[in-house]
Amino acid sequence: VNAPRGGVGGGNDFQWCFSQVKGAIDEDVAEADIISTVEFNCSGELLATGDKGGRVVIFQREQESKNRLLSRGEYNVYSTFQSHEPEFDYLKSLEIEEKINKIRWLPQQNAAHFLLSANDKTIKLWKISERDKRAEGYNLKDEDGRLRDQFRITTLRVPVLMPMDLMVEASPRRIFANAHTYHINSISVNSDYETYLSADDLRINLWHLEITDRSFNIVDIKPANMEELTEVITAAECHPHQCNVFVYSSSKGTIRLCDTRAAALCDRHSKFFEEPEDPSSRSFFSEIISSISDVKFSHSGRYMMTRDYLSVKVWDLNMENRPVETYQVHEYLRSKLCSLYENDCIFDKFECCWNGSDSAIMTGSYNNFFRMFDRNTRRDITLEASRENSKPRAMLKPRKVCTGGKRKKDEISVDSLDFNKKILHTAWHPKENVIAVAATNNLYIFQDKIN
Amino acid sequence: MQDAVVSPEKTEEAKLKARYPHLGTKPGGSDLLRKRLQKGQKYFDSGDYNMAKAKMKNKQLPTAAAEKTEITGDHIPTPQDLPQRKQSLVASKLAV
């Protein structure tokens, strides 16, 4: 069987190529270096990563130069800062990890860039701004900053702005703390550009970006008796256009769509999305693998996509009783669930993302494989993030997992997959075919081949 | 038709139950969820701690395990025993 010539996400001659890889080649990966979130900003000019050590690194795309016609601009380091620090809550005897769970960019409204970063308990609004001029010729202090002797000043001068080497500064503008008893899994900026939501295992809060000492609780699923706990919130997102609509997913594989115009506390959903399950096929693993690890609205706002352990599903917001599309990510793992439960891999939380035109979706898998599905052609492809195939503009070869019987050349058998190499976080440029894939402590950037 | 063929999922379930016969009857239920909610929780009971401090004048308490990994069980942890969380001052290797 020949691999399809056309790649996924574009026209017929589409091929994904290696562009860049960031990070160390160490054999021993330090825990702090593990990338925990990846996000392009609204224009795609900036790409942010967060890691388990609480650090944020922002890359900026260089302007396309005339010399390099065959490739798009590369992403270079623009700014890096320590967003969150480890904390210990002595009152509750709770260790608070500095790991960045999510980064979300605000739409750009002036020269500065703003992003929200969240660890388990606290959300911070960061301002990233450039400084490329400084004033010289002050009257009261000299160039070193030392105060001039006032009696020696005989004339007044007007300070002039002189160019200086570009400096990119990151400063925390707001700290939204003390609103989550449980661990924050999602943040989402609302389309009104004034508010955002944050979700933990049992509650969702609505914040105003300017106000840090108050937030509104809009969803609370904590039972009166914790013994009766049956499900938790796993992800939440604001609708891209309707500022009164948001969705949240659960560990039972359901999605609830809520309308903040209906009530102050959105415990009662407006819509409830669940795929019916065949009761005879139910097993010990059913609920665990149905747990939704990510939910993302399409850019159009008509659809949403959910990721559970083995598949990605696309839902039409107008149809609650089943998804309109289901894509198998790694169905061959269904016969490995026992060992995946024992090594905890069954609890891995994979994310998913849409391309800019909503025609393709992408999600990660094991062995540093990631998968892309073209919704129009129904073609899918498996690619690998590996330094072995990291020459500039090298084309990525499709990968295939052999599920049994004869293993063909270039195929890999299920038992040879490295389950420590997980691709949990991926991001697609909002407008172009450029993708960022986080492979443990390395960040890969791939782009389409320009014909 | 799946009547004669046992689904791969059910085969895996049988394997798991064979290895862990006492596995809870409520799959993916409260136990798993509560474990998830308690992530990061260190065993530290301030009542016990204060009583232990008072008793320490008379007798020695079991000392902390040399490894200091998991602080649970009979051992009464003290703030000194808790692993020190160092603040990260090293820059990310992505920013090189």
Side-chain angles (χ1 to χ4, degrees):
Chain A
V1 173
N2 291 324
R5 271 212 67 215
V8 175
N12 279 332
D13 283 324
F14 193 91
Q15 287 285 350
W16 286 103
C17 303
F18 173 85
S19 175
Q20 297 171 271
V21 61
K22 310 272 184 196
I25 318 180
D26 298 339
E27 274 300 315
D28 280 328
V29 179
E31 179 103 359
D33 291 328
I34 297 174
I35 300 168
S36 50
T37 185
V38 186
E39 190 82 355
F40 281 99
N41 76 335
C42 308
S43 65
E45 182 209 350
L46 299 179
L47 174 62
T49 60
D51 66 21
K52 277 195 168 184
R55 300 162 300 191
V56 172
V57 181
I58 300 174
F59 302 92
Q60 181 189 44
R61 199 182 210 183
E62 64 182 16
Q63 303 291 336
E64 286 180 28
S65 74
K66 300 175 200 106
N67 299 334
R68 307 189 63 183
L69 291 169
L70 290 177
S71 77
R72 303 173 195 273
E74 285 199 335
Y75 284 86
N76 301 317
V77 180
Y78 180 65
S79 171
T80 179
F81 53 92
Q82 185 77 36
S83 172
H84 288 71
E85 299 277 5
E87 289 174 62
F88 194 88
D89 181 340
Y90 289 101
L91 190 65
K92 295 179 191 169
S93 183
L94 189 67
E95 199 168 62
I96 301 168
E97 275 190 302
E98 67 275 37
K99 165 168 153 277
I100 310 293
N101 292 332
K102 285 283 169 2
I103 287 174
R104 288 289 182 263
W105 291 93
L106 266 57
Q108 192 175 10
Q109 293 179 303
N110 52 39
H113 297 276
F114 288 87
L115 62 79
L116 288 170
S117 65
N119 72 344
D120 281 340
K121 296 285 177 183
T122 305
I123 307 125
K124 296 187 183 181
L125 176 69
W126 288 89
K127 176 181 180 181
I128 297 107
S129 48
E130 292 184 3
R131 196 197 289 245
D132 62 356
K133 299 184 219 350
R134 66 157 186 266
E136 280 179 16
Y138 284 99
N139 288 292
L140 298 177
K141 56 180 182 177
D142 62 24
E143 297 313 317
D144 295 339
R146 282 177 299 184
L147 292 174
R148 288 169 78 197
D149 184 351
Q150 290 186 18
F151 296 102
R152 297 258 176 88
I153 300 171
T154 53
T155 58
L156 279 179
R157 56 188 179 180
V158 177
V160 283
L161 289 176
M162 300 297 289
M164 60 180 251
D165 287 339
L166 178 67
M167 212 166 73
V168 182
E169 300 170 319
S171 59
R173 305 301 286 179
R174 305 270 187 277
I175 297 181
F176 304 91
N178 302 318
H180 286 281
T181 306
Y182 303 98
H183 300 107
I184 297 173
N185 53 55
S186 311
I187 49 175
S188 181
V189 182
N190 205 350
S191 56
D192 61 9
Y193 300 171
E194 284 188 349
T195 59
Y196 75 95
L197 64 73
S198 59
D200 66 33
D201 293 310
L202 298 178
R203 298 190 178 104
I204 302 179
N205 295 327
L206 184 70
W207 302 82
H208 190 286
L209 285 163
E210 302 284 335
I211 299 168
T212 57
D213 64 354
R214 254 170 301 160
S215 83
F216 286 102
N217 175 243
I218 54 176
V219 173
D220 187 341
I221 65 166
K222 184 177 177 191
N225 180 1
M226 284 297 271
E227 303 281 317
E228 289 162 26
L229 182 68
T230 54
E231 68 183 322
V232 294
I233 297 168
T234 52
E237 197 179 50
C238 292
H239 191 278
H241 314 306
Q242 295 167 34
C243 58
N244 56 301
V245 172
F246 67 94
V247 292
Y248 68 93
S249 58
S250 85
S251 52
K252 278 184 156 178
T254 64
I255 309 102
R256 288 169 177 82
L257 184 143
C258 302
D259 186 337
T260 54
R261 292 176 310 186
L265 190 58
C266 297
D267 278 1
R268 267 193 301 199
H269 52 261
S270 295
K271 294 195 186 189
F272 182 74
F273 299 81
E274 186 178 30
E275 182 165 28
E277 194 207 2
D278 176 9
S280 65
S281 67
R282 192 160 179 83
S283 76
F284 174 83
F285 303 109
S286 299
E287 191 173 306
I288 301 173
I289 62 172
S290 74
S291 177
I292 292 171
S293 49
D294 195 14
V295 64
K296 292 261 172 48
F297 279 105
S298 64
H299 293 92
S300 64
R302 270 200 61 192
Y303 300 96
M304 65 178 174
M305 160 167 61
T306 57
R307 175 68 154 100
D308 52 70
Y309 191 61
L310 298 178
S311 67
V312 180
K313 295 177 181 170
V314 175
W315 303 78
D316 183 326
L317 293 188
N318 297 316
M319 190 159 76
E320 297 165 61
N321 59 357
R322 60 178 174 81
V324 288
E325 294 154 35
T326 300
Y327 301 93
Q328 301 302 336
V329 181
H330 36 217
E331 179 67 15
Y332 47 78
L333 294 184
R334 199 180 288 271
S335 51
K336 300 287 170 195
L337 292 177
C338 179
S339 41
L340 292 168
Y341 178 87
E342 289 179 298
N343 61 22
D344 274 354
C345 283
I346 205 174
F347 301 106
D348 284 337
K349 297 182 179 61
F350 292 94
E351 291 173 6
C352 53
C353 60
W354 299 86
N355 71 343
S357 60
D358 298 335
S359 64
I361 58 185
M362 166 167 65
T363 190
S365 178
Y366 295 105
N367 208 71
N368 277 355
F369 287 173
F370 57 100
R371 305 264 285 136
M372 284 195 220
F373 304 93
D374 187 317
R375 296 178 63 215
N376 300 322
T377 64
R378 292 307 171 126
R379 288 216 202 98
D380 64 89
I381 193 166
T382 305
L383 297 172
E384 182 180 0
S386 157
R387 280 185 188 262
E388 277 176 21
N389 194 19
S390 55
K391 290 199 193 69
R393 297 190 296 285
M395 284 196 321
L396 297 185
K397 211 172 61 167
R399 308 288 284 141
K400 198 157 191 314
V401 176
C402 158
T403 50
K406 280 211 250 184
R407 185 179 74 88
K408 295 197 185 105
K409 180 183 165 228
D410 287 348
E411 283 185 0
I412 181 166
S413 77
V414 184
D415 296 310
S416 308
L417 294 174
D418 188 342
F419 290 95
N420 290 317
K421 292 188 176 164
K422 320 169 199 255
I423 306 259
L424 304 173
H425 312 286
T426 59
W428 206 313
H429 188 288
K431 299 184 179 83
E432 295 176 29
N433 283 321
V434 176
I435 55 177
V437 174
T440 316
N441 62 329
N442 287 168
L443 181 72
Y444 287 82
I445 299 172
F446 303 107
Q447 60 191 30
D448 63 348
K449 178 176 146 203
I450 299 180
N451 292 310
Chain B
M1 283 245 298
Q2 279 218 335
D3 294 346
V5 181
V6 183
S7 78
E9 222 174 287
K10 292 245 169 96
T11 314
E12 290 295 296
E13 181 179 23
K15 241 194 260 177
L16 194 67
K17 292 232 157 111
R19 287 188 210 173
Y20 308 100
H22 300 296
L23 204 55
T25 46
K26 265 180 83 177
S30 304
D31 291 339
L32 268 174
L33 292 180
R34 255 179 290 146
K35 184 172 143 194
R36 175 193 173 129
L37 296 182
Q38 277 175 356
K39 182 188 95 168
Q41 195 82 39
K42 292 287 182 216
Y43 170 74
F44 184 68
D45 185 311
S46 62
D48 276 346
Y49 172 65
N50 283 311
M51 286 189 52
K53 248 180 40 173
K55 276 191 206 152
M56 259 168 95
K57 288 185 214 157
N58 302 328
K59 64 178 182 186
Q60 283 293 344
L61 279 164
T63 50
E67 276 174 40
K68 292 184 188 180
T69 46
E70 199 72 26
I71 304 181
T72 55
D74 297 323
H75 167 64
I76 309 289
T78 62
Q80 298 90 285
D81 292 341
L82 292 167
Q84 290 302 313
R85 297 306 315 279
K86 269 186 286 201
Q87 298 198 332
S88 181
L89 298 168
V90 180
S92 166
K93 290 181 190 160
L94 293 180
V96 168

